[in-house]
Amino acid sequence: LLPLLRDDARERRLELNLGYRRSEYEQAGGADSYKAELAFRSSRSLTWRGSFQHAVRAPSVEELYYPEIAAQFVVPIPDPCSVSSPQRNGPDKQQVEALCLAQGVPPALLPTYNFVLRRVDGVSGGNPDLEPEDADTYTAGVVLDSTLEHRWLRDLQLTIDWYRIDLKNGIGRWETESAVTRCFDAAFNPGYLPEYAYCTFFTRVSTTGDIYALELDRNIGGVETSGVDLQVAWGGEAGPGRVDANLYFTYVDEWLATEPDGRQVDYVGTVGSRGLGGSIPRLRSTLSLRYDWQVLGLYARWLHIDGMHDAEYRDFHVPACDYFDVGATVALDRGLLAGLSATAGIENLRDAEPP
């Protein structure tokens, strides 16, 4: 922590915070993480801040060494290499057949090859060749502290921060059905190249030409996201006790997922983009209220989640939802039970169902 400037008379100071870490992983190799944070208090009421951080996450033991487990996996019906498939009967028939041969369909079987089952054999598991994930994070913000002496305003604070996060080499698995579909889709693979990313997520059995799934952990993508976070903190004496309130508000400007072939899809305002329950609302807020009097504390919380669209079926709308929690705490500060606290509350007070 480097104090670059200090002016006590005008309550000004400038500080630079630096950090660095070198990590060595036997399997994943070396990695560097580092940061630089700058904070400038220009007056008693105003502080400017910004930061840059480079973060690294090495593959976990499970991602590296989880055994390859044999199973069956869903594929499109029929197999695009089937003689009855739309791909082999479409305008790109020759390119499709060339791709099938390059993948391992025996030439003698191709003229009559027809696979119309829903599942194929394959394996899922870890991957010892994984590389670490890495991310760059940028932030810039301001902190406003009240200088007013009024009892309702002197404990008021407002913070606003902009952020941008770029995650690369994200570790994940890709479903075989989607990989096969995109491998043989001219919109994704116009040249019908066997080295196209999605075409490498499965192989074929050399004797039969049937698909063999490889749902393994891979460095297959990333995320670029940016937005604004706002927090308002307020408190004051009220009657025999004290009331405090906190408002947290976040606005997501973009959430671009980088797919294995380099394409980017913006998932802001969608639900289901990261599996069942995964959601990226554009707006989200939490308001917390608390009243403390001697050993008793009462609290209430309101969570608001903005409406979204389904990540795949964009015409399907999920409405906004609100959840309310209430509760009370008792914290003893004297006698044999000093330090003991108990909390009782109700989460989702209205028993609201998620839309």
Side-chain angles (χ1 to χ4, degrees), residues 163 225-228 251-255 266 268 282:
Y163 67 86
T225 182
S226 62
V228 176
Y251 173 85
V252 182
D253 181 50
E254 66 176 6
W255 206 96
D266 193 352
V268 171
R282 187 174 291 276

Side-chain angles (χ1 to χ4, degrees), residues 129-152:
D129 295 326
L130 289 173
E131 298 178 358
E133 296 179 336
D134 63 86
D136 292 329
T137 299
Y138 307 85
T139 70
V142 60
V143 181
L144 299 170
D145 290 290
S146 174
T147 57
L148 303 174
E149 295 302 326
H150 191 282
R151 69 188 185 98
W152 293 115

